[in-house]
Amino acid sequence: IVAKQISLEAQLSKNEPELKRFTDRLAFTMEGVRDDAILFTFTCIYENDPSQPCSFTLDVGETIYTVLECNPPLDQIEELVTLLNESRDFYTFVKRMRQAF
């Protein structure tokens, strides 16, 4: 158990700087809202109000991703989620969601 904890802490120390760069460049936050869902909140979308958030909640509990909520709603959400499920390219999906907002 101790070895596993040390391994997890080592991985976390590698993940944190990478996640920070990722979130800083795309101006967003990620928050676990339950065991199998992540809330993504973007800012700096609107020139007239950069603090106004746009968000979506992604269910990651199954092998097929689904968006549980999207605010504001996006017409192309189904297409974006289909591309994610086909490619499994999570980074590109997050960038496409930001562009869609």
Side-chain angles (χ1 to χ4, degrees):
I1 292 173
V2 171
K4 185 173 183 174
Q5 184 64 32
I6 290 170
S7 174
L8 288 173
E9 288 173 7
Q11 186 61 47
L12 181 62
S13 71
K14 293 176 187 175
N15 291 351
E16 284 180 334
E18 186 174 330
L19 285 173
K20 176 139 178 49
R21 279 192 311 275
F22 191 60
T23 58
D24 288 347
R25 287 188 179 147
L26 295 177
F28 81 99
T29 60
M30 295 181 294
E31 177 185 353
V33 291
R34 61 178 205 229
D35 286 343
D36 57 357
I38 302 170
L39 171 65
F40 292 82
T41 305
F42 295 96
T43 55
C44 300
I45 299 288
Y46 304 105
E47 285 184 32
N48 59 340
D49 186 2
S51 66
Q52 182 176 342
C54 294
S55 64
F56 68 95
T57 303
L58 189 67
D59 184 339
V60 295
E62 302 294 327
T63 57
I64 302 296
Y65 295 112
T66 56
V67 172
L68 303 173
E69 291 182 53
C70 187
N71 186 26
L74 297 173
D75 292 336
Q76 66 271 44
I77 191 75
E78 294 296 326
E79 178 185 335
L80 293 170
V81 174
T82 297
L83 287 170
L84 169 63
N85 284 313
E86 289 173 353
S87 70
R88 310 306 285 178
D89 186 348
F90 200 77
Y91 180 72
T92 298
F93 172 73
V94 172
K95 290 191 306 184
R96 287 178 176 158
M97 287 295 293
R98 179 173 184 74
Q99 290 169 347
F101 285 126

